[in-house]
Amino acid sequence: MGKRILITGAAGFLGSHLCDRFIGEGYKVVGMDNLITGDLKNIEHLFPLKNFEFYNHDVSNFVHVAGNLDYILHFASPASPIDYLKIPIQTLKVGSLGTHNLLGLAKEKKARFLIASTSEVYGDPTVHPQPEEYWGNVNPIGPRSVYDEAKRFQEAITMAYHTYHGLETRIVRIFNTYGPRMRLNDGRVLPAFIGQALRGEDLTIFGDGSQTRAFCYVDDLVEGIYRLLMSDYAYPVNIGNPNEITMNDFAQEIIKLTGTSQKIVYHPLPQDDPKQRQPDITKAKQLLEWEPKISRQEGLKRTYIFFKSLSSDEILKQPKQFNEK
């Protein structure tokens, strides 16, 4: 009998790619998502498969899955500022109550548990690049704290279950990731720039453009997550691409890629926005023999092809409104 895995946030950008990977590896995949930021379009190709089942459920409420589970991947959470600033309470709940519910399920099923943490646990870092040993520089009551602190709590409770209950746990700290199935209107810099280019709008940079990001293509990230899950390492591991770039240079890359001629406009930097973001991936190289393989040039080309294939309605669509619970 094939191994069975629960993936929360399954209809989201990363969750849907993970569903594809584990289906491809021969697993029985149980997808779960409340569709508040996810989209069934991302996984509709999996519905005809006998190895895939889907539950529309909010993991902040009690989670029940009948039958055995070998692995649980907790990827349910708003992941872009435009989302988590609109639904701050749900963001905190999925990181705290949701993680607690799923840890309880993992304990009951004796399943190995992996959480999607984030480079945001480092806040606006004073150490560069960021190694896993760095404890971070996070404003606990700032606008971004609903995401940053939810993820920090998520790591803390996961480690508590590991040390107190002996649960097999894994923690991946994900740095900026991109690729097909991102929402064009999710507010993150890469889809924002490409969306602006496709609509013929000027490219918007917040701050003076000297801040940096390091972008990892989704296929590389999924490979790193897979290797971490199969490893025997319980502590956090950075997975990301250390190839750092300033926002000014990145905007120029997008203009060149899209063949458009917009100008760049500058707006004030939002509060607590990180000035630098670059993963130290020494641990991933040593423990998992992993490093990214896909260049930014190649990854951007694939992502642009995906975004260009969207309908004009989707390209023009504004971010959706949320009801806070």
Side-chain angles (χ1 to χ4, degrees), residues 156-218:
I157 193 170
T158 298
M159 284 310 301
Y161 264 75
H162 172 71
T163 53
Y164 186 74
H165 291 302
L167 191 69
E168 282 196 43
T169 56
R170 308 287 181 267
I171 299 172
V172 57
R173 286 184 183 157
I174 298 169
F175 282 69
N176 295 69
T177 305
Y178 69 101
R181 301 184 195 155
M182 287 190 96
R183 289 200 342 260
L184 196 56
N185 59 0
D186 84 353
R188 285 182 274 196
V189 63
L190 190 150
F193 279 175
I194 293 181
Q196 287 170 331
L198 287 170
R199 291 188 295 271
E201 299 166 2
D202 293 334
L203 269 56
T204 303
I205 285 180
F206 294 94
D208 63 6
S210 64
Q211 69 270 37
T212 66
R213 296 292 182 268
F215 297 100
C216 183
Y217 189 67
V218 63

Side-chain angles (χ1 to χ4, degrees), residues 15-307:
S16 65
H17 284 282
L18 286 162
C19 288
D20 287 345
R21 173 64 186 262
F22 282 93
I23 289 282
E25 296 281 351
Y27 285 73
K28 292 177 176 162
V29 174
V30 181
M32 191 172 281
D33 203 303
N34 68 349
L35 304 178
I36 193 161
T37 60
D39 192 329
L40 286 178
K41 277 208 313 286
N42 292 333
I43 50 173
E44 63 188 359
H45 60 287
L46 299 175
F47 283 112
L49 305 180
K50 68 179 192 313
N51 270 7
F52 183 74
E53 52 189 310
F54 177 76
Y55 296 94
N56 183 338
H57 181 70
D58 182 347
V59 298
S60 299
N61 302 316
F62 177 76
V63 180
H64 171 71
V65 176
N68 72 299
L69 283 174
D70 298 284
Y71 303 103
I72 295 173
L73 302 188
H74 183 23
F75 277 71
S77 177
S80 75
I82 208 163
D83 291 341
Y84 56 72
L85 295 176
K86 280 185 174 172
I87 44 171
I89 294 162
Q90 280 159 318
T91 302
L92 283 159
K93 282 167 76 173
V94 75
S96 55
L97 301 176
T99 306
H100 189 211
N101 289 334
L102 291 160
L103 283 161
L105 182 66
K107 181 170 168 272
E108 179 203 334
K109 303 285 187 185
K110 298 181 171 54
R112 184 176 297 175
F113 182 81
L114 181 146
I115 55 159
S117 188
T118 170
S119 59
E120 297 298 326
V121 299
Y122 301 122
D124 185 6
T126 55
V127 171
H128 193 72
Q130 293 83 56
E132 290 85 351
E133 292 74 21
Y134 176 52
W135 292 351
N137 177 38
V138 174
N139 176 356
I141 56 168
R144 299 172 71 101
S145 66
V146 297
Y147 184 68
D148 302 0
E149 296 292 15
K151 292 295 189 180
R152 286 162 73 94
F153 175 84
Q154 190 178 47
E155 289 195 10
I157 193 170
T158 298
M159 284 310 301
Y161 264 75
H162 172 71
T163 53
Y164 186 74
H165 291 302
L167 191 69
E168 282 196 43
T169 56
R170 308 287 181 267
I171 299 172
V172 57
R173 286 184 183 157
I174 298 169
F175 282 69
N176 295 69
T177 305
Y178 69 101
R181 301 184 195 155
M182 287 190 96
R183 289 200 342 260
L184 196 56
N185 59 0
D186 84 353
R188 285 182 274 196
V189 63
L190 190 150
F193 279 175
I194 293 181
Q196 287 170 331
L198 287 170
R199 291 188 295 271
E201 299 166 2
D202 293 334
L203 269 56
T204 303
I205 285 180
F206 294 94
D208 63 6
S210 64
Q211 69 270 37
T212 66
R213 296 292 182 268
F215 297 100
C216 183
Y217 189 67
V218 63
D219 291 3
D220 281 333
L221 182 85
V222 165
E223 177 64 27
I225 291 166
Y226 184 84
R227 291 188 186 202
L228 177 59
L229 182 67
M230 299 306 159
S231 77
D232 59 1
Y233 190 72
Y235 295 93
V237 177
N238 289 337
I239 300 287
N241 191 321
N243 187 359
E244 188 183 19
I245 187 171
T246 68
M247 291 301 93
N248 282 323
D249 288 345
F250 187 57
Q252 294 297 341
E253 280 191 8
I254 297 296
I255 288 168
K256 187 176 169 190
L257 170 77
T258 58
T260 50
S261 55
Q262 286 92 325
K263 62 182 194 292
I264 296 168
V265 294
Y266 293 86
H267 290 280
L269 194 68
Q271 185 184 340
D272 302 328
D273 196 61
K275 314 295 185 300
Q276 292 178 300
R277 194 57 97 221
Q278 183 190 23
D280 180 332
I281 60 167
T282 306
K283 267 200 174 58
K285 285 179 176 175
Q286 290 171 346
L287 296 167
L288 312 176
E289 296 181 352
W290 176 89
E291 60 184 312
K293 300 276 191 287
I294 296 162
S295 69
R296 192 169 60 243
Q297 184 182 16
E298 173 60 26
L300 283 175
K301 200 162 68 180
R302 295 184 198 178
T303 307
Y304 182 51
I305 288 167
F306 167 77
F307 282 139

